[in-house]
């Protein structure tokens, strides 16, 4: 089992920045992929970015690629999302997710298919124009 807690959300004006953190505890040694998802009002949950914890390779959605950066602390216990140049469309609940190492899917595929078994409760990000 892995437990995830997000923090760092808040309210900012367009163009501002926020840094989200996700603290992981439990059997973190077995984590293979860690990711950020978001769900805005009336929208489906969408993948924002994912990192392979073994080699730190990352994939981000096209809508955030030039503005958001996902990273981890190297111990699989803390995940970050640096968000710059925020837009009102980024307003959403942001969720941290993790999945054990598996040969069945790569981390990019997991992000697209939302195949993660561990989820946090989310942190709200609100961007005003």
């Amino acid at each position: 089992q892995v437990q995830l807690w997000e923090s760092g959300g808040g309210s900012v004006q367009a163009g501002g920045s926020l840094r989200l953190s996700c603290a992981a505890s439990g059997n973190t040694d077995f984590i293979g992929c860690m990711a950020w998802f978001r769900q805005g009002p009336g929208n489906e949950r969408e993948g924002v970015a994912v990192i392979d914890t073994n080699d730190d390779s990352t994939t981000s959605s096209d809508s955030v690629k030039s503005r958001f950066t996902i990273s981890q602390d190297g111990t699989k216990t803390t995940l970050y999302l640096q968000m710059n140049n925020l837009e009102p469309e980024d307003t959403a609940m942001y969720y941290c997710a993790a999945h054990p190492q598996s040969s069945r899917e790569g981390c990019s595929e997991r992000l697209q298919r939302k195949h993660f078994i561990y989820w946090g409760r989310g942190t709200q990000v609100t961007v005003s124009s």
Side-chain angles (χ1 to χ4, degrees):
Q1 286 289 331
V2 173
Q3 295 78 41
L4 303 171
W5 289 273
E6 303 93 338
S7 62
S11 297
V12 296
Q13 289 191 325
S17 297
L18 282 173
R19 190 192 198 200
L20 304 184
S21 298
C22 172
S25 63
N27 294 329
T28 58
D29 286 347
F30 299 100
I31 293 176
C33 307
M34 297 187 79
W36 290 99
F37 289 80
R38 68 184 181 185
Q39 187 166 14
N43 296 332
E44 290 187 1
R45 191 171 295 190
E46 64 168 331
V48 175
V50 66
I51 187 166
D52 185 320
T53 61
N54 296 306
D55 61 13
D56 281 347
S57 58
T58 64
T59 300
S60 301
S61 68
D62 289 342
S63 62
V64 307
K65 191 167 292 186
S66 62
R67 301 182 295 120
F68 293 7
T69 303
I70 187 171
S71 62
Q72 59 133 349
D73 68 346
T75 66
K76 305 183 183 183
T77 60
T78 309
L79 181 70
Y80 303 103
L81 185 68
Q82 178 65 44
M83 305 186 295
N84 298 326
N85 194 21
L86 283 159
E87 303 169 351
E89 293 73 23
D90 296 318
T91 294
M93 184 72 79
Y94 283 71
Y95 298 91
C96 174
H99 197 89
Q101 296 186 41
S102 171
S103 60
R104 295 184 178 181
E105 284 183 306
C107 293
S108 297
E109 291 172 289
R110 284 198 184 282
L111 185 73
Q112 283 188 327
R113 298 173 182 173
K114 306 172 193 174
H115 284 179
F116 287 79
I117 62 171
Y118 301 116
W119 293 86
R121 293 190 174 188
T123 185
Q124 178 67 38
V125 172
T126 302
V127 184
S128 58
S129 57

